[in-house]
Every structure is written in C-alpha cells, then in structure tokens.
Amino acid sequence: MMMQLSEPPKQKNSLFNAMHRFIGAVNNMDQTVMVPSLLRDVPLDLDLDQDRDQDRDQDRALAALRSSDPEETDMYSYYQLLKSIRGDIEWGVRLKERNLAVTRTHSSASSSSSSSSSSASSSSSEEEEDEEDLEKQFQFHLTGLQGVLSKLTQQADCLTRRYTEEVGIGGWGH
C-alpha cells in the first residue's frame, strides 16, 4: 500500500510546484509525441464546442499561444516552444541571450552614469521608495510567473491530447 503525502494548501500554490507541474506536463508531452514531425502543418483550429469543460479550457489555453506570424501557428512550433521553455527553467536562460543583456546593460549604464551624477541627491529618496516597493514588485512578478506557468502547463497537456487524437492513440498511456 502506497502512502501519499498531502501538500498543505500553501505549498500547492508555490512557484516550485508550478514549475514542477509544467516540467511534468512537458515531459509527458515529450514521451507521448513519438514523432514530432507529425505535428508539422497541423493547424491550431480548435473546436471550442466540445462537451468536456476541461478540453475547452485546454483548447482556449492553446489558442492563447497563437501568434500573428502564420508560420508559427502549427502544433510543431508550440511543441518546440514548450520544450525550449522547459530547458530554460531547468538549465537557466541561454548564455547567448544573457551575454546580449549584459552588453546592453553596460552600454546603457555607461551612458546614464554621466547624467546620474547631477541628480544624485534627488535619487536617494527615490531609491528608498524603490526598496520599499520591492516586496510589491516581487509579489507582482511571482503571481505573473505562476499564471504563465499554469497556462503553459495547460497548453502542454492540450498539445499532448491533440497529438493522441491526431495519431489515433486516444486511450494509450492513460
């Protein structure tokens, strides 16, 4: 007999658990999608008149991923996107992107350092306000990140379900 530990309500909404659920959903998607190339050119034409509410929610979540670029509106693009985001969570943001951000930060910091010396006295009060606001900023971004991870988890689940429907392996693996 297997004993399961129940999570306290506070832990269910933790960022760690949101990341864990997303990574699990993408891992499930990755294990289910045996031939990713079958997702190429499969449109995201979603039938929102299905009977099950969960399917409608998942379809809406996948529809939210649609971009204005017509080349990126197939399921393969979203499969790749979800796997890329999983990699960023597991391994960190790619080094190339980080180096670009550091270069931009240094160039903007050097140009702003000459103008900042004249306003040093007025900026000290602004810094105090910014420090007081850090908790609010953190809460705002944490809430946003958890919301995005929740949507991405739904999208990975939806893509997995759609793949099984397209390939015809509806009951397999469940």
Side-chain angles (χ1 to χ4, degrees), residues 81-144:
L81 173 70
L82 292 166
K83 285 182 59 173
S84 173
I85 292 170
R86 178 191 60 189
D88 289 344
I89 289 173
E90 291 178 329
W91 300 102
V93 179
R94 291 179 182 85
L95 184 60
K96 181 176 96 173
E97 293 170 355
R98 188 180 319 151
N99 287 341
L100 289 174
V102 168
T103 304
R104 289 183 194 141
T105 303
H106 286 305
S107 65
S108 66
S110 64
S111 65
S112 66
S113 65
S114 61
S115 64
S116 66
S117 62
S118 64
S119 63
S121 62
S122 65
S123 67
S124 64
S125 62
E126 290 175 4
E127 288 177 15
E128 290 174 8
E129 291 175 9
D130 287 345
E131 288 176 10
E132 293 172 1
D133 198 40
L134 285 177
E135 184 178 6
K136 289 180 183 175
Q137 291 176 14
F138 174 76
Q139 291 297 325
F140 174 78
H141 290 293
L142 181 63
T143 302

Side-chain angles (χ1 to χ4, degrees), residues 37-45 73-76 162 166:
S37 62
L38 292 176
L39 297 171
R40 289 191 191 274
D41 301 324
V42 175
L44 294 174
D45 295 334
T73 57
D74 67 347
M75 290 179 60
Y76 182 76
R162 288 281 312 275
E166 293 288 330

Side-chain angles (χ1 to χ4, degrees), residues 19-46:
M19 289 189 300
H20 183 70
R21 284 189 298 268
F22 169 71
I23 290 170
V26 174
N27 287 343
N28 182 43
M29 174 191 76
D30 209 15
Q31 291 172 355
T32 302
V33 177
M34 301 300 276
V35 185
S37 62
L38 292 176
L39 297 171
R40 289 191 191 274
D41 301 324
V42 175
L44 294 174
D45 295 334
L46 305 171

